[in-house]
């Protein structure tokens, strides 16, 4: 009888088993702390389904005199995501030049720049929105600033990592011939990293389409605010049609930006 050859090495199998056990333990502790009972979902499944099937279905379009306003709010959400991402990308590129030790004219400050971006990035967009709404009031302008802050912080990190992948030989050869900071950026960084920068920019647009909807629901304008107004007035069937509009918008943007990213990274 031939000995069995394990498909997974014994050490790796033990590691996976330990990870699975640790995951189960963490889940049990988390449910105990949060007092979440997964069986409640199954026990109340009928009432949840009844609420969705009776109040959300079938979806209903807004009244004809309100439909142009709804479509305008969708365009506002798109514009909000595009504008905030574009401004954040420009600012992030300039900041990332000082956050990369490889290219920064002040290498010792690079860690502080990255630390500042990390601090901004670790505060969710929704928290920034509440902070800004409390101090500046509601409106698309404040939603724009909230999206811009988180997009800026995210892209600084992404751009710095992209710059760090540039070959040292390219940068050092330019330094050896006396190239200035701006010449190193234009001759080494931009040619090597431009496709990566654009790919991260497109990804950030995808994220901000969804984030701008959430920010809009708490006062940032756009389709999120329109959706929340229908939910608040218990027009769930109309709210569901707006949710479908948002889903279609997000899918189309994801497909378009995903295709562009794949072309750039070929």
């Amino acid at each position: 009888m031939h000995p069995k050859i394990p498909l997974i090495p014994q050490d790796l199998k033990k590691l996976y088993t330990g990870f699975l056990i640790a995951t189960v333990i963490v889940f049990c502790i988390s449910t105990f702390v949060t007092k979440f009972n997964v069986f409640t979902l199954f026990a109340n499944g009928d009432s949840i389904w009844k609420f969705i099937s009776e109040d959300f279905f079938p979806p209903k379009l807004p009244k004809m005199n309100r439909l142009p306003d709804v479509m305008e709010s969708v365009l506002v959400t798109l514009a909000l995501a595009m504008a905030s991402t574009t401004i954040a990308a420009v600012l992030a590129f300039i900041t990332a030049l000082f956050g990369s030790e490889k290219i920064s004219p002040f290498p010792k400050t690079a860690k502080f720049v990255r630390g500042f971006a990390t601090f901004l990035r670790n505060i969710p967009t929704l928290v920034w929105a509440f902070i800004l709404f409390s101090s500046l009031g509601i409106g698309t302008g404040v939603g724009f600033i909230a999206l811009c802050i988180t997009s800026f912080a995210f892209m600084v990190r992404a751009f710095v990592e992209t710059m760090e992948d540039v070959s040292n030989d390219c940068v050092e050869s330019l330094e050896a011939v006396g190239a200035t900071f701006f010449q190193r950026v234009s001759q080494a960084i931009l040619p090597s990293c431009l496709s990566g920068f654009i790919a991260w920019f497109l990804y950030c647009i995808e994220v901000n389409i969804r984030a701008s909807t959430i920010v809009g629901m708490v006062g940032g304008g756009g389709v999120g605010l329109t959706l929340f107004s229908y939910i608040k007035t218990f027009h769930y069937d109309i709210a569901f049609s707006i949710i479908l509009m948002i889903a279609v918008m997000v899918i189309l943007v994801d497909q378009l930006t995903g295709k562009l990213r794949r072309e750039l990274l070929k």
Side-chain angles (χ1 to χ4, degrees):
M1 184 175 180
H2 297 289
K4 292 183 178 180
I5 300 175
L7 297 176
I8 302 175
Q10 194 65 27
D11 293 342
L12 196 58
K13 187 175 181 180
K14 290 181 180 179
L15 178 64
Y16 289 159
T17 304
F19 179 76
L20 178 62
I21 294 172
T23 302
V24 172
I25 292 173
V26 170
F27 173 77
C28 294
I29 294 173
S30 300
T31 53
F32 175 76
V33 172
T34 58
K35 295 180 174 60
F36 168 73
N37 187 354
V38 68
F39 298 105
T40 304
L41 294 177
F42 297 101
N44 298 325
D46 292 340
S47 58
I48 295 172
W49 173 248
K50 183 179 179 181
F51 169 69
I52 294 175
S53 60
E54 292 183 359
D55 292 335
F56 280 85
F57 286 96
K60 179 181 176 182
L61 288 174
K63 294 180 180 179
M64 291 305 297
N65 61 337
R66 293 294 310 276
L67 193 57
D69 294 334
V70 173
M71 298 308 297
E72 182 183 356
S73 68
V74 173
L75 294 177
V76 167
T77 297
L78 280 170
L80 194 61
M82 287 290 298
S84 60
T85 308
T86 302
I87 296 298
V90 174
L91 297 175
F93 172 71
I94 296 171
T95 306
L97 294 175
F98 297 91
S100 172
E101 295 178 357
K102 183 178 293 186
I103 194 69
S104 175
F106 312 107
K108 292 183 179 180
T109 64
K111 291 182 179 179
F112 295 100
V113 172
R114 293 200 300 269
F116 176 67
T118 301
F119 168 75
L120 295 180
R121 189 176 68 254
N122 287 331
I123 300 176
T125 306
L126 196 58
V127 175
W128 280 117
F130 277 118
I131 292 172
L132 293 170
F133 292 150
S134 300
S135 57
L136 301 176
I138 63 174
T140 53
V142 181
F144 169 84
I145 296 173
L147 290 169
C148 204
I149 290 173
T150 51
S151 302
F152 164 80
F154 171 79
M155 282 190 282
V156 165
R157 181 68 179 183
F159 288 177
V160 167
E161 294 296 333
T162 304
M163 291 180 189
E164 293 297 320
D165 290 336
V166 175
S167 173
N168 284 326
D169 295 338
C170 182
V171 178
E172 289 173 357
S173 60
L174 287 171
E175 290 177 346
V177 297
T180 64
F181 168 70
F182 295 104
Q183 288 173 332
R184 295 199 305 271
V185 171
S186 61
Q187 299 299 321
I189 297 301
L190 284 178
S192 303
C193 302
L194 187 58
S195 60
F197 291 159
I198 296 175
W200 282 117
F201 169 76
L202 293 173
Y203 174 75
C204 201
I205 288 177
E206 295 178 24
V207 174
N208 277 348
I209 292 291
R210 292 182 282 269
S212 59
T213 302
I214 302 300
V215 169
M217 292 185 72
V218 296
V223 72
L225 187 61
T226 304
L227 172 63
F228 185 67
S229 67
Y230 281 112
I231 292 176
K232 190 168 58 175
T233 54
F234 306 108
H235 292 94
Y236 298 118
D237 49 355
I238 300 177
F240 186 54
S241 67
I242 296 175
I243 291 171
L244 293 177
M245 289 182 191
I246 295 170
V248 170
M249 175 181 66
V250 171
I251 290 171
L252 290 176
V253 171
D254 283 357
Q255 292 293 323
L256 177 60
T257 55
K259 184 176 180 180
L260 290 173
R261 281 205 314 275
R262 286 191 296 271
E263 291 296 326
L264 287 168
L265 297 175
K266 278 184 178 180

